[in-house]
Amino acid sequence: MAEVLKAGDAVEWNTSQGKTSGIVKKKLTRPTEIKGHHVAASKDNPEYLVESDKTGEVAAHKPSALTKKTAGK
């Protein structure tokens, strides 16, 4: 089961360039558009809006793709 995340949580995820990190901005529980990309989020299948530490860009990620960072990491 994926971790429960909330706004402000520091997270990591894998990209084609390697692991990157960012901050959860909010939980998405309904379909939305982000930069022209359709995000099929719902209450049963939520996604998280995450802001990249490196670029400042935002993107939606499935809970299973995100790992909560622990202090000191």
Side-chain angles (χ1 to χ4, degrees):
M1 183 175 154
E3 290 185 72
V4 175
L5 301 170
K6 62 184 182 318
D9 283 347
V11 293
E12 295 179 319
W13 64 96
N14 291 317
T15 70
S16 57
Q17 293 84 27
K19 192 167 274 200
T20 194
S21 61
I23 301 293
V24 173
K25 291 301 187 181
K26 68 179 180 176
K27 183 177 184 178
L28 304 172
T29 56
R30 59 186 169 178
T32 190
E33 297 282 326
I34 298 174
K35 297 187 316 189
H37 175 73
H38 180 73
V39 178
S42 68
K43 284 189 177 190
D44 292 333
N45 292 301
E47 296 197 28
Y48 290 94
L49 185 67
V50 179
E51 181 179 349
S52 169
D53 288 339
K54 186 182 277 185
T55 66
E57 294 288 323
V58 293
H61 293 282
K62 295 186 182 301
S64 60
L66 299 171
T67 303
K68 189 172 180 180
K69 290 174 68 175
T70 57
K73 248 187 142 180

